[in-house]
Amino acid sequence: MKMLVIKFGRSVSVLAILLAVIPLFEHAQAAASYALPTKPGIWLSPDPRRKLSDAHTMELVQSLQRITGFRQLGFTENGLLMNESPCSSAEGAVEARQVLERARQSGHVFIIEDYSGSDEVHFGQLDEGTNYEDTRTGIRLLIWRVRLDFADFHDMEAAQDVRASFDCGFTALHELLHGLGHTDSLQEDSIGEIEEILNRARTELQLPLRDSYFGELVPISTRMISLRLRFLPQPSTQAAQAAQSARALGSAPPLKRKAKYLFFLLPHSYRPMLTVSGLVRIGCGPQR
Ligand SMILES: [Zn+2]
């Protein structure tokens, strides 16, 4: 967790100077050109280096509209996410609406940043958080930066329904849940509480469920490796298909669901930061 303290006056403690100067130095380069949001909510980054293009903003808005059913959802001119009443939508997933509303009402600031093409971020990542304090105005905020790599979603190989289960909107919700205190799985055989929540939303939307939190690395050449993520079709869809097949063949339906995979190419030099049994964490939250 970082500290960012804005203050002036003659009496400043050494600790305050240390807390203020280090992050301010980082912030100072861009401070002249943009100001951080000073009200809680979900914001588009005002940083010109991380600002979403109109196309990426539209991609995120359309995805969140589809997942939540909030058809009026969008960003205001100054970058704040707005949507209609939580009770007004009959579409989308209730679970996803609750996640988005919890983040909007949390009192925290979430800043969505564009890390497209970055080697640091694969699909999505939440930073370690910043405790912001402005002693001049008395404003204190916890600021999270939600980093999204839109290029990764275009570069991956997956069936259309798997793409709908794992896109920028679902990834943004994943990172928001980290900011709300939820954690990822540390066990190979567990999906983790965040993906359990998102799988309930996928169930409502009749989308494939994420079957593993961890990705598997598969070498495909001397220069490239493939990372794959496993999904399972909805049981209800599978059961319906099996019942249809059984009727056609006059036999018992198959019980086993066939996994679907998402593939993503990485350079052979890729070194995952965190692994369990050689598996790769996808959608990492803050390193605590
Ligand atoms: Zn995560």
Side-chain angles (χ1 to χ4, degrees):
M1 182 74 68
K2 291 192 291 189
M3 291 285 293
L4 176 56
V5 181
I6 309 296
K7 61 193 304 175
F8 57 80
R10 287 185 298 178
S11 177
V12 179
S13 73
V14 172
L15 176 61
I17 290 171
L18 285 173
L19 291 176
V21 170
I22 297 170
L24 271 176
F25 178 75
E26 191 179 295
H27 181 60
Q29 291 172 305
S33 56
Y34 75 95
L36 288 170
T38 53
K39 287 182 182 171
I42 301 171
W43 297 81
L44 293 174
S45 174
D47 181 346
R49 299 166 303 176
R50 298 298 174 202
K51 194 174 166 55
L52 273 66
S53 65
D54 289 348
H56 287 169
T57 303
M58 186 180 293
E59 190 176 334
L60 180 62
V61 165
Q62 288 178 344
S63 172
L64 289 174
Q65 285 181 346
R66 175 181 61 84
I67 296 167
T68 62
F70 288 137
R71 290 296 169 192
Q72 303 302 316
L73 178 151
F75 290 94
T76 62
E77 222 166 78
N78 60 350
L80 178 63
L81 183 75
M82 303 292 285
N83 64 308
E84 73 260 42
S85 161
C87 302
S88 67
S89 179
E91 302 173 343
V94 173
E95 192 79 37
R97 288 201 282 278
Q98 289 174 346
V99 172
L100 199 66
E101 282 307 293
R102 280 176 57 202
R104 288 183 66 228
Q105 308 299 331
S106 64
H108 301 179
V109 171
F110 292 91
I111 300 177
I112 299 171
E113 299 186 327
D114 195 332
Y115 270 70
S116 296
S118 163
D119 290 336
E120 304 161 51
V121 175
H122 295 297
F123 301 106
Q125 186 188 80
L126 193 74
D127 81 337
E128 71 269 44
T130 301
N131 271 313
Y132 172 94
E133 181 179 356
D134 189 336
T135 58
R136 301 166 301 180
T137 58
I139 293 173
R140 293 175 134 205
L141 291 167
L142 178 51
I143 300 175
W144 299 104
R145 287 177 167 82
V146 177
R147 297 165 175 162
L148 297 176
D149 189 334
F150 290 86
D152 289 346
F153 297 103
H154 294 282
D155 292 344
M156 69 189 194
E157 294 275 337
Q160 207 57 39
D161 56 351
V162 172
R163 283 183 174 276
S165 264
F166 188 83
D167 68 349
C168 59
F170 268 108
T171 302
L173 294 175
H174 181 114
E175 306 308 339
L176 293 176
L177 282 164
H178 274 302
L180 295 171
H182 296 278
T183 56
D184 285 321
S185 172
L186 294 173
Q187 311 276 337
E188 190 182 334
D189 58 355
S190 162
I191 191 78
E193 57 179 286
I194 289 182
E195 287 301 324
E196 277 178 14
I197 293 169
L198 295 182
N199 270 351
R200 290 201 290 272
R202 291 177 179 117
T203 298
E204 290 184 66
L205 297 167
Q206 285 295 298
L207 290 172
L209 303 179
R210 188 150 164 195
D211 192 42
S212 170
Y213 168 68
F214 297 96
E216 303 165 67
L217 289 180
V218 183
I220 56 169
S221 77
T222 54
R223 306 180 86 176
M224 301 297 288
I225 47 178
S226 178
L227 182 145
R228 70 176 193 177
L229 275 180
R230 196 171 65 244
F231 291 79
L232 278 181
Q234 283 290 325
S236 56
T237 306
Q238 192 80 11
Q241 288 171 345
Q244 194 176 16
S245 301
R247 277 197 299 275
L249 298 170
S251 61
L255 297 174
K256 203 171 177 183
R257 283 188 282 165
K258 192 177 177 189
K260 291 186 162 192
Y261 289 93
L262 176 162
F263 294 94
F264 183 68
L265 287 180
L266 292 161
H268 213 277
S269 57
Y270 174 69
R271 293 288 177 269
M273 292 292 288
L274 296 162
T275 63
V276 172
S277 306
L279 301 174
V280 183
R281 294 170 69 91
I282 300 297
C284 291
Q287 312 293 304
R288 299 182 197 281

XYZ file of all heavy atoms in Angstrom, residues 141-200:
483
model
N -8.767 9.231 0.884
C -9.334 8.236 -0.022
C -8.405 7.037 -0.150
O -7.184 7.175 -0.037
C -9.521 8.834 -1.420
C -10.585 9.915 -1.602
C -10.404 10.587 -2.944
C -11.981 9.318 -1.487
N -8.997 5.895 -0.381
C -8.216 4.717 -0.766
C -8.368 4.563 -2.278
O -9.490 4.424 -2.781
C -8.726 3.473 -0.033
C -8.050 2.149 -0.365
C -6.533 2.235 -0.262
C -8.574 1.052 0.563
N -7.253 4.661 -2.984
C -7.289 4.645 -4.453
C -6.715 3.333 -4.974
O -5.606 2.931 -4.601
C -6.474 5.823 -5.042
C -7.067 7.159 -4.557
C -6.447 5.762 -6.555
C -6.259 8.376 -4.996
N -7.502 2.658 -5.822
C -7.042 1.429 -6.486
C -6.932 1.701 -7.975
O -7.812 2.328 -8.563
C -8.040 0.290 -6.284
C -8.291 -0.111 -4.876
C -9.397 0.188 -4.122
C -7.449 -0.916 -4.036
N -9.293 -0.372 -2.876
C -8.110 -1.055 -2.788
C -6.216 -1.527 -4.213
C -7.579 -1.784 -1.734
C -5.685 -2.250 -3.154
C -6.354 -2.379 -1.947
N -5.906 1.173 -8.585
C -5.765 1.283 -10.039
C -6.032 -0.076 -10.679
O -5.343 -1.055 -10.379
C -4.365 1.789 -10.395
C -4.195 3.272 -10.075
C -2.798 3.744 -10.367
N -2.709 5.204 -10.362
C -2.594 5.948 -9.266
N -2.559 5.376 -8.072
N -2.529 7.263 -9.335
N -7.061 -0.108 -11.517
C -7.458 -1.327 -12.235
C -6.798 -1.277 -13.604
O -7.145 -0.438 -14.429
C -8.993 -1.403 -12.377
C -9.398 -2.626 -13.188
C -9.662 -1.408 -11.012
N -5.839 -2.155 -13.821
C -5.083 -2.146 -15.075
C -5.622 -3.210 -16.025
O -5.711 -4.377 -15.657
C -3.606 -2.414 -14.780
C -3.004 -1.319 -13.909
C -1.697 -1.728 -13.312
N -1.087 -0.616 -12.588
C -0.126 -0.738 -11.675
N 0.338 -1.942 -11.357
N 0.356 0.318 -11.070
N -5.982 -2.793 -17.216
C -6.532 -3.723 -18.204
C -5.668 -3.709 -19.463
O -5.300 -2.638 -19.946
C -7.972 -3.323 -18.569
C -9.010 -3.372 -17.441
C -10.357 -2.859 -17.958
C -9.164 -4.782 -16.882
N -5.374 -4.922 -19.965
C -4.656 -5.033 -21.235
C -5.656 -5.505 -22.291
O -5.917 -6.708 -22.424
C -3.487 -6.022 -21.102
C -2.591 -6.006 -22.341
O -3.104 -5.666 -23.422
O -1.399 -6.342 -22.217
N -6.233 -4.560 -23.017
C -7.263 -4.891 -24.001
C -6.699 -5.727 -25.151
O -7.405 -6.548 -25.729
C -7.898 -3.604 -24.556
C -8.754 -2.885 -23.553
C -8.203 -1.978 -22.661
C -10.118 -3.117 -23.490
C -8.985 -1.314 -21.731
C -10.916 -2.461 -22.560
C -10.342 -1.558 -21.677
N -5.428 -5.531 -25.462
C -4.825 -6.269 -26.579
C -4.832 -7.770 -26.296
O -5.028 -8.581 -27.208
C -3.402 -5.779 -26.817
N -4.631 -8.154 -25.028
C -4.601 -9.581 -24.686
C -5.917 -10.274 -25.023
O -5.925 -11.433 -25.444
C -4.287 -9.773 -23.202
C -2.843 -9.437 -22.868
O -2.033 -9.326 -23.814
O -2.528 -9.290 -21.671
N -7.040 -9.583 -24.823
C -8.340 -10.202 -25.102
C -8.531 -10.418 -26.604
O -9.238 -11.326 -27.018
C -9.481 -9.344 -24.534
C -9.424 -9.212 -23.041
C -8.956 -8.053 -22.449
C -9.803 -10.268 -22.225
C -8.881 -7.933 -21.077
C -9.724 -10.162 -20.847
C -9.260 -8.994 -20.266
N -7.909 -9.569 -27.402
C -8.007 -9.737 -28.855
C -7.041 -10.815 -29.344
O -7.327 -11.516 -30.308
C -7.724 -8.407 -29.555
C -8.773 -7.370 -29.256
N -10.003 -7.361 -29.874
C -8.792 -6.335 -28.381
C -10.722 -6.362 -29.409
N -10.007 -5.717 -28.493
N -5.907 -10.935 -28.655
C -4.871 -11.873 -29.110
C -5.157 -13.317 -28.708
O -4.577 -14.235 -29.270
C -3.504 -11.461 -28.533
C -3.021 -10.147 -29.131
O -3.583 -9.743 -30.170
O -2.106 -9.526 -28.564
N -5.993 -13.532 -27.703
C -6.219 -14.904 -27.230
C -7.072 -15.697 -28.235
O -7.787 -15.117 -29.046
C -6.912 -14.887 -25.863
C -8.343 -14.408 -25.899
S -8.998 -14.172 -24.233
C -10.760 -14.028 -24.594
N -6.943 -17.028 -28.148
C -7.733 -17.933 -28.995
C -8.765 -18.598 -28.108
O -8.411 -19.229 -27.101
C -6.836 -19.025 -29.591
C -5.804 -18.541 -30.570
C -6.364 -18.430 -31.970
O -7.357 -19.111 -32.260
O -5.812 -17.642 -32.763
N -10.030 -18.460 -28.454
C -11.086 -19.078 -27.645
C -12.393 -19.078 -28.422
O -12.587 -18.243 -29.312
C -11.267 -18.309 -26.333
N -13.278 -20.011 -28.036
C -14.616 -20.027 -28.636
C -15.358 -18.764 -28.210
O -15.020 -18.144 -27.199
C -15.374 -21.269 -28.178
N -16.394 -18.420 -28.973
C -17.119 -17.173 -28.718
C -17.718 -17.118 -27.311
O -17.670 -16.078 -26.641
C -18.236 -17.028 -29.764
C -18.628 -15.595 -30.050
C -17.459 -14.728 -30.509
O -16.604 -15.174 -31.262
N -17.412 -13.498 -30.008
N -18.257 -18.266 -26.838
C -18.886 -18.227 -25.508
C -17.831 -18.123 -24.400
O -18.079 -17.498 -23.359
C -19.815 -19.436 -25.289
C -19.120 -20.766 -25.474
O -17.949 -20.800 -25.933
O -19.742 -21.801 -25.160
N -16.624 -18.682 -24.633
C -15.539 -18.533 -23.655
C -15.060 -17.080 -23.638
O -14.808 -16.506 -22.585
C -14.372 -19.497 -23.967
C -13.170 -19.199 -23.068
C -14.825 -20.943 -23.792
N -15.000 -16.465 -24.813
C -14.639 -15.035 -24.889
C -15.627 -14.187 -24.092
O -15.244 -13.235 -23.418
C -14.642 -14.567 -26.348
C -13.427 -15.004 -27.135
C -13.450 -14.452 -28.551
N -12.205 -14.772 -29.240
C -11.096 -14.058 -29.136
N -11.079 -12.967 -28.402
N -10.001 -14.421 -29.759
N -16.898 -14.560 -24.182
C -17.913 -13.799 -23.442
C -17.776 -14.007 -21.933
O -18.203 -13.180 -21.137
C -19.309 -14.207 -23.904
N -17.178 -15.145 -21.540
C -16.965 -15.457 -20.114
C -15.697 -14.843 -19.564
O -15.483 -14.844 -18.349
C -16.846 -16.978 -19.926
O -18.065 -17.523 -19.559
N -14.831 -14.407 -20.450
C -13.525 -13.915 -20.013
C -13.150 -12.734 -20.902
O -12.408 -12.876 -21.861
C -12.486 -15.042 -20.111
C -11.144 -14.693 -19.514
C -10.919 -14.808 -18.156
C -10.106 -14.240 -20.313
C -9.687 -14.487 -17.597
C -8.859 -13.911 -19.773
C -8.658 -14.037 -18.405
N -13.720 -11.589 -20.597
C -13.450 -10.397 -21.400
C -13.072 -9.245 -20.471
O -12.874 -9.438 -19.268
C -14.664 -10.060 -22.281
C -15.856 -9.589 -21.466
O -15.815 -9.724 -20.215
O -16.812 -9.075 -22.050
N -12.979 -8.048 -21.035
C -12.523 -6.917 -20.219
C -13.498 -6.602 -19.091
O -13.077 -6.184 -18.003
C -12.277 -5.691 -21.100
S -13.720 -5.135 -22.031
N -14.791 -6.818 -19.313
C -15.771 -6.536 -18.269
C -15.641 -7.487 -17.090
O -15.620 -7.065 -15.929
N -15.579 -8.804 -17.391
C -15.408 -9.777 -16.301
C -14.087 -9.546 -15.573
O -13.996 -9.696 -14.349
C -15.471 -11.209 -16.849
C -16.857 -11.801 -16.818
C -17.578 -11.990 -17.983
C -17.446 -12.153 -15.611
C -18.859 -12.523 -17.955
C -18.727 -12.688 -15.566
C -19.442 -12.870 -16.741
N -13.046 -9.183 -16.332
C -11.740 -8.947 -15.703
C -11.784 -7.698 -14.823
O -11.206 -7.683 -13.729
C -10.653 -8.833 -16.789
O -10.677 -10.047 -17.556
C -9.275 -8.636 -16.188
N -12.479 -6.656 -15.276
C -12.627 -5.457 -14.440
C -13.355 -5.806 -13.140
O -12.943 -5.374 -12.049
C -13.386 -4.375 -15.208
N -14.419 -6.619 -13.239
C -15.153 -7.018 -12.025
C -14.251 -7.824 -11.094
O -14.307 -7.677 -9.870
C -16.397 -7.833 -12.400
C -17.490 -7.074 -13.159
C -18.605 -8.033 -13.569
C -18.069 -5.942 -12.313
N -13.414 -8.692 -11.677
C -12.460 -9.484 -10.886
C -11.560 -8.545 -10.069
O -11.384 -8.734 -8.862
C -11.626 -10.361 -11.826
C -10.625 -11.229 -11.143
N -10.698 -12.604 -11.123
C -9.504 -10.921 -10.437
C -9.678 -13.096 -10.436
N -8.927 -12.089 -10.020
N -11.028 -7.528 -10.725
C -10.098 -6.620 -10.025
C -10.840 -5.742 -9.018
O -10.293 -5.427 -7.950
C -9.336 -5.763 -11.045
C -8.605 -6.549 -12.139
C -7.689 -7.652 -11.626
O -7.274 -7.604 -10.456
O -7.402 -8.581 -12.391
N -12.075 -5.349 -9.317
C -12.863 -4.591 -8.342
C -13.061 -5.416 -7.075
O -12.988 -4.894 -5.954
C -14.228 -4.201 -8.927
C -14.240 -3.195 -10.078
C -15.670 -2.993 -10.591
C -13.656 -1.846 -9.646
N -13.312 -6.713 -7.254
C -13.511 -7.585 -6.084
C -12.250 -7.656 -5.220
O -12.341 -7.740 -3.992
C -13.941 -8.988 -6.543
C -15.420 -9.094 -6.948
C -15.687 -10.369 -7.745
C -16.320 -9.064 -5.702
N -11.074 -7.598 -5.859
C -9.842 -7.531 -5.061
C -9.851 -6.281 -4.191
O -9.512 -6.321 -3.011
C -8.610 -7.494 -5.976
C -8.118 -8.844 -6.378
N -7.728 -9.799 -5.459
C -7.948 -9.402 -7.600
C -7.350 -10.884 -6.104
N -7.479 -10.681 -7.403
N -10.251 -5.157 -4.778
C -10.291 -3.905 -4.021
C -11.304 -3.943 -2.891
O -11.173 -3.207 -1.913
N -12.310 -4.819 -3.036
C -13.325 -4.962 -1.989
C -12.908 -5.993 -0.941
O -13.696 -6.330 -0.049
C -14.672 -5.352 -2.614
C -15.286 -4.289 -3.532
C -16.503 -4.844 -4.277
C -15.669 -3.049 -2.735
N -11.690 -6.526 -1.074
C -11.147 -7.408 -0.030
C -11.192 -8.885 -0.331
O -10.806 -9.696 0.509
N -11.688 -9.267 -1.495
C -11.758 -10.696 -1.839
C -10.418 -11.176 -2.394
O -9.631 -10.396 -2.918
C -12.873 -10.954 -2.847
C -14.235 -10.647 -2.307
N -14.948 -11.530 -1.526
C -14.991 -9.533 -2.404
C -16.097 -10.979 -1.184
N -16.147 -9.769 -1.696
N -10.199 -12.479 -2.299
C -8.891 -13.028 -2.674
C -9.024 -14.123 -3.728
O -10.104 -14.684 -3.951
C -8.173 -13.629 -1.445
O -9.043 -14.604 -0.853
C -7.842 -12.548 -0.431
N -7.873 -14.420 -4.340
C -7.803 -15.504 -5.322
C -7.472 -16.823 -4.626
O -7.071 -16.848 -3.464
C -6.714 -15.206 -6.348
C -7.140 -14.152 -7.337
O -8.315 -14.156 -7.742
O -6.294 -13.319 -7.697
N -7.582 -17.884 -5.385
C -7.241 -19.205 -4.865
C -5.730 -19.336 -4.665
O -4.937 -18.803 -5.436
C -7.708 -20.271 -5.855
O -7.234 -21.538 -5.466
N -5.354 -20.051 -3.617
C -3.951 -20.413 -3.424
C -3.759 -21.908 -3.633
O -2.656 -22.420 -3.555
C -3.495 -20.029 -2.006
C -3.459 -18.521 -1.709
C -3.152 -18.278 -0.239
C -2.443 -17.819 -2.601
N -4.856 -22.615 -3.869
C -4.824 -24.071 -4.025
C -5.186 -24.437 -5.455
O -6.128 -23.869 -6.012
C -5.863 -24.731 -3.101
C -5.827 -24.254 -1.677
C -4.789 -24.982 -0.857
O -4.403 -26.082 -1.218
N -4.348 -24.370 0.225
N -4.461 -25.403 -5.980
C -4.698 -25.821 -7.355
C -6.118 -26.326 -7.584
O -6.694 -26.137 -8.644
C -3.700 -26.922 -7.727
C -3.692 -27.266 -9.183
C -2.722 -28.390 -9.462
O -1.759 -28.557 -8.687
O -2.934 -29.095 -10.437
N -6.689 -26.971 -6.540
C -8.009 -27.575 -6.711
C -9.153 -26.643 -6.302
O -10.292 -27.067 -6.181
C -8.092 -28.887 -5.915
C -7.827 -28.663 -4.430
O -7.492 -27.514 -4.052
O -7.956 -29.627 -3.656
N -8.824 -25.360 -6.091
C -9.871 -24.414 -5.701
C -9.923 -23.269 -6.705
O -8.899 -22.816 -7.208
C -9.566 -23.874 -4.296
O -10.282 -22.693 -4.067
N -11.140 -22.803 -6.988
C -11.308 -21.719 -7.952
C -11.068 -20.353 -7.292
O -10.764 -19.369 -7.972
C -12.728 -21.803 -8.585
C -12.875 -20.866 -9.784
C -13.800 -21.515 -7.592
C -12.239 -21.375 -11.021
N -11.223 -20.294 -5.965
C -11.029 -19.025 -5.257
C -12.326 -18.246 -5.139
O -13.235 -18.398 -5.959
N -12.435 -17.405 -4.108
C -13.719 -16.743 -3.835
C -14.116 -15.752 -4.921
O -15.304 -15.609 -5.219
C -13.700 -16.063 -2.462
C -12.608 -15.051 -2.265
C -12.688 -14.412 -0.881
O -13.586 -13.587 -0.650
O -11.848 -14.726 -0.049
N -13.149 -15.093 -5.561
C -13.514 -14.117 -6.601
C -14.148 -14.817 -7.801
O -15.214 -14.423 -8.280
C -12.279 -13.302 -7.037
C -11.878 -12.346 -5.913
C -12.554 -12.535 -8.336
C -10.706 -11.457 -6.234
N -13.503 -15.875 -8.276
C -14.066 -16.570 -9.441
C -15.326 -17.350 -9.077
O -16.166 -17.596 -9.942
C -13.008 -17.468 -10.093
C -11.939 -16.682 -10.857
C -12.507 -15.817 -11.988
O -13.473 -16.234 -12.641
O -11.989 -14.710 -12.197
N -15.501 -17.717 -7.795
C -16.783 -18.322 -7.378
C -17.913 -17.312 -7.562
O -18.993 -17.651 -8.046
C -16.712 -18.752 -5.910
C -16.066 -20.098 -5.703
C -15.968 -20.477 -4.244
O -16.624 -19.822 -3.411
O -15.210 -21.418 -3.935
N -17.649 -16.067 -7.168
C -18.660 -15.007 -7.337
C -18.948 -14.797 -8.828
O -20.098 -14.748 -9.259
C -18.172 -13.696 -6.682
C -18.100 -13.862 -5.165
C -19.088 -12.522 -7.055
C -17.380 -12.722 -4.441
N -17.871 -14.694 -9.612
C -18.064 -14.434 -11.051
C -18.694 -15.630 -11.756
O -19.449 -15.449 -12.723
C -16.733 -14.048 -11.696
C -16.138 -12.727 -11.181
C -14.848 -12.395 -11.911
C -17.137 -11.576 -11.322
N -18.422 -16.847 -11.278
C -19.080 -18.017 -11.879
C -20.590 -18.003 -11.615
O -21.369 -18.498 -12.435
C -18.454 -19.316 -11.357
C -17.280 -19.774 -12.223
O -17.037 -19.231 -13.295
N -16.561 -20.782 -11.760
N -21.005 -17.436 -10.478
C -22.452 -17.316 -10.245
C -23.056 -16.359 -11.278
O -24.169 -16.582 -11.763
C -22.718 -16.828 -8.804
C -22.375 -17.880 -7.751
C -23.093 -17.605 -6.439
N -22.585 -16.436 -5.742
C -21.563 -16.456 -4.879
N -20.957 -17.601 -4.604
N -21.176 -15.356 -4.274
